[in-house]
Amino acid sequence: MSENRLEGTDHLERSIDWKQGLAIALGVPLLILPSLGYLPMYVSAAAILIWGISVLQGFMQSTAYAEMATTFPKASGLPGFAQHVFRTENYKGKYDKGKLIGGFSAWSYWFAWNPVLAIFSILVGGYLHGLFPVLAETFTEYQLALISGLVIFTGLFVVNWFGLKDGAKLGYVLAAFSLIPLVVLTVAPFATGKVELSNITGSWMPADWAWDMHHILILFGIFAIAQWSACAWETAAIYGPEYKNPSRDVPKALYACGIICFFSFVLVQSAVIGVLGVEGVLAEPLSPLIPVAQAVFGQAGTMVTIIMLIAAMILIIQTAYLGSSRAMHSMSSEGNLPRVFGKTNRQGTPFVAMLVIGAFNLVLISMGTPAAILAASAIGYTCANGISLFAYVRAKNHPSFKNLERPFKAPKGWKKVALIFGLFNLPLCLVGVVYLNSLEVGWTSTWVGFLVLSLYIPIWLYTQRESRRLNGKAATAPSSDEDAGDLERVPGP
């Protein structure tokens, strides 16, 4: 890989093109499902505008990420960029604090994507519990969620054991099975006249909304929650080391997914509110698409919708499973996690990371409510985006990176845009989501989020001792002239 990667970690294989990367990332439009009833609870029909703005925020951020992905084609998306850019050379003291910052960003990203598996396993269990009375008589919702998670994780592990190309093939199948019905379900209410525009225009903002500090903090929190879904198509960049031609494939996969997300998020929320009204959405906060299907297609439509939603959830679990496992592999390769997490099989699949992620999510399912898990996860995603955007600014300013080839360049002055959105994430959205969590689900999810994030410190310290013990400081020295130009060590500030 590079001179900065640890000996003993294995390489990912360049086996996919932009269309396959897009197929894997196509689970992202489905991330709106847990929040279709959540955002209207606070901002009524203005949730439609929030989704649109948030996807546009994703374009601003992902333009910077696309440049980083093509400048450092061996780095795995946001986790890889931050880890590389913040490394320092000839640092004073026992540990490289810059390396710790980059590793923490990658850990935050891992924690942002990882809980998606548990969130949607709980939703699958809930749908199965309501759809099949015989299952409801035999199992509790928690037991069905646990069984669903175990079956889905095992199935995805087996499929992806044979490499990312096979994961992309599964993505094609699930996308066809879930996205096409979702498009039909979104467009049909408009085509059949079921959408009442007065349901949107008459409830644009809550009657008690005021521009005071309380509501401004709620708004920042809402943007943090929305970003967790609407900006998550940046995951298409995490497969940078696995694209055949990253300078061409990464921007194509990113922007194609972003365009799909924009129309999907805006139209799905518009259809739901347009058919049910804000009050109707709040009456079905977990699954508002089901009464929409009933209104448009009748009882048969409801059955099809549930089956479609389960397929959609498996697709987004697949997206999250692959993204979080690549984040762990990247951290291990950079010496920020124990090297065992960097182990891959012959097909280039980081199987140890995938096993650990599956086990971790089976534990997370015990939290019971998707809202609590999502709230904790959003804290990690806000930190990851903020630090990654600061990494972009550093990569543009630091003299060590000025001469690197940049096959894709963001527009002139984009580092100012990245800095603005970095500050929007940290501290504004972080403070907002913590405040919103305290109002909505109490402090439990916040403490869980900060606990998981803080666990990185002892893990990282152990990893540094492991690196010194097994390889000495020579473990991070250049191994070949070929890689040295691509991933040059960064001198300290």
Side-chain angles (χ1 to χ4, degrees):
M1 290 287 269
S2 77
E3 75 279 18
N4 301 300
R5 303 294 174 94
L6 286 182
E7 304 260 345
T9 56
D10 299 324
H11 298 176
L12 300 173
E13 298 295 328
R14 293 198 179 278
S15 60
I16 63 171
D17 59 23
W18 74 271
K19 294 185 291 293
Q20 292 166 317
L22 171 63
I24 297 169
L26 274 180
V28 172
L30 306 168
L31 284 173
I32 194 174
L33 296 181
S35 302
L36 274 174
Y38 183 84
L39 265 62
M41 181 170 62
Y42 285 101
V43 293
S44 297
I48 300 167
L49 180 63
I50 297 293
W51 288 121
I53 292 174
S54 295
V55 178
L56 293 177
Q57 175 190 344
F59 275 100
M60 300 297 176
Q61 296 177 171
S62 288
T63 297
Y65 299 152
E67 181 175 331
M68 295 281 273
T70 56
T71 305
F72 307 113
K74 297 180 182 180
S76 293
L78 273 65
F81 308 153
Q83 289 178 101
H84 175 63
V85 171
F86 282 110
R87 284 195 305 258
T88 55
E89 189 179 72
N90 301 323
Y91 52 88
K92 297 179 180 180
K94 195 173 182 180
Y95 301 109
D96 179 358
K97 296 181 179 63
K99 186 175 182 179
L100 175 60
I101 293 172
F104 178 77
S105 176
W107 179 260
S108 300
Y109 185 84
W110 170 82
F111 182 55
W113 269 106
N114 194 349
V116 171
L117 283 73
I119 291 170
F120 283 90
S121 294
I122 293 172
L123 292 178
V124 169
Y127 281 120
L128 291 175
H129 191 269
L131 183 61
F132 301 105
V134 64
L135 292 178
E137 294 172 2
T138 309
F139 302 101
T140 65
E141 284 195 45
Y142 167 72
Q143 290 171 331
L144 280 176
L146 201 60
I147 294 170
S148 299
L150 185 60
V151 171
I152 294 171
F153 303 163
T154 302
L156 291 179
F157 180 85
V158 171
V159 169
N160 289 284
W161 174 266
F162 299 100
L164 196 60
K165 286 183 69 175
D166 290 290
K169 291 176 183 176
L170 179 62
Y172 285 135
V173 173
L174 292 175
F177 193 55
S178 58
L179 286 181
I180 292 176
L182 182 63
V183 170
V184 172
L185 187 58
T186 302
V187 173
F190 291 96
T192 58
K194 297 291 185 181
V195 171
E196 295 287 344
L197 289 180
S198 60
N199 286 339
I200 298 173
T201 57
S203 303
W204 187 244
M205 289 294 288
D208 61 348
W209 184 268
W211 291 101
D212 53 20
M213 185 56 65
H214 167 70
H215 286 89
I216 290 173
L217 287 174
I218 287 177
L219 192 60
F220 282 133
I222 287 294
F223 272 110
I225 295 294
Q227 176 183 230
W228 183 88
S229 304
C231 298
W233 44 277
E234 46 70 25
T235 189
I238 203 170
Y239 310 111
E242 295 166 272
Y243 285 113
K244 296 174 183 176
N245 187 344
S247 63
R248 181 192 63 193
D249 291 331
V250 173
K252 282 187 176 181
L254 275 173
Y255 290 125
C257 195
I259 292 170
I260 293 171
C261 285
F262 180 81
F263 289 102
S264 173
F265 280 83
V266 171
L267 289 176
V268 170
Q269 187 73 78
S270 298
V272 168
I273 294 179
V275 173
L276 303 178
V278 172
E279 294 300 323
V281 173
L282 298 184
E284 290 283 350
L286 294 180
S287 52
L289 278 179
I290 293 178
V292 171
Q294 273 186 320
V296 177
F297 300 115
Q299 188 60 37
T302 304
M303 182 72 69
V304 172
T305 300
I306 293 177
I307 295 172
M308 176 272 291
L309 289 176
I310 291 175
M313 292 172 197
I314 297 173
L315 175 59
I316 190 55
I317 289 173
Q318 152 102 338
T319 302
Y321 207 1
L322 294 176
S324 56
S325 65
R326 267 59 184 179
M328 291 193 82
H329 178 276
S330 175
M331 285 187 280
S332 177
S333 299
E334 296 286 350
N336 287 315
L337 272 187
R339 63 178 56 198
V340 65
F341 297 111
K343 289 292 182 182
T344 63
N345 63 9
R346 291 181 179 179
Q347 289 75 33
T349 299
F351 67 95
V352 175
M354 294 184 74
L355 286 172
V356 171
I357 289 166
F360 180 74
N361 274 273
L362 290 176
V363 175
L364 276 183
I365 289 173
S366 64
M367 290 184 68
T369 167
I373 302 173
L374 193 156
S377 177
I379 294 173
Y381 194 62
T382 300
C383 292
N385 272 289
I387 298 174
S388 296
L389 290 166
F390 295 146
Y392 174 79
V393 175
R394 177 176 168 81
K396 296 289 283 187
N397 288 335
H398 204 285
S400 293
F401 299 109
K402 285 190 179 296
N403 295 326
L404 291 181
E405 182 182 358
R406 300 173 187 267
F408 174 87
K409 289 185 179 181
K412 186 177 179 180
W414 210 256
K415 65 181 180 181
K416 295 180 181 178
V417 175
L419 180 61
I420 290 171
F421 281 100
L423 294 172
F424 178 68
N425 277 276
L426 292 175
L428 297 181
C429 284
L430 179 61
V431 172
V433 75
V434 169
Y435 184 75
L436 189 62
N437 289 353
S438 69
L439 297 176
E440 174 62 23
V441 292
W443 286 96
T444 301
S445 64
T446 298
W447 287 119
V448 168
F450 284 124
L451 175 63
V452 173
L453 293 178
S454 65
L455 284 175
Y456 181 67
I457 304 299
I459 294 173
W460 186 83
L461 293 174
Y462 169 81
T463 304
Q464 305 316 298
R465 289 195 295 269
E466 177 191 64
S467 298
R468 289 198 302 271
R469 184 176 68 251
L470 297 177
N471 297 325
K473 291 190 175 180
T476 56
S479 59
S480 70
D481 293 336
E482 178 184 355
D483 287 334
D486 178 48
L487 289 172
E488 182 181 349
R489 290 288 285 176
V490 185

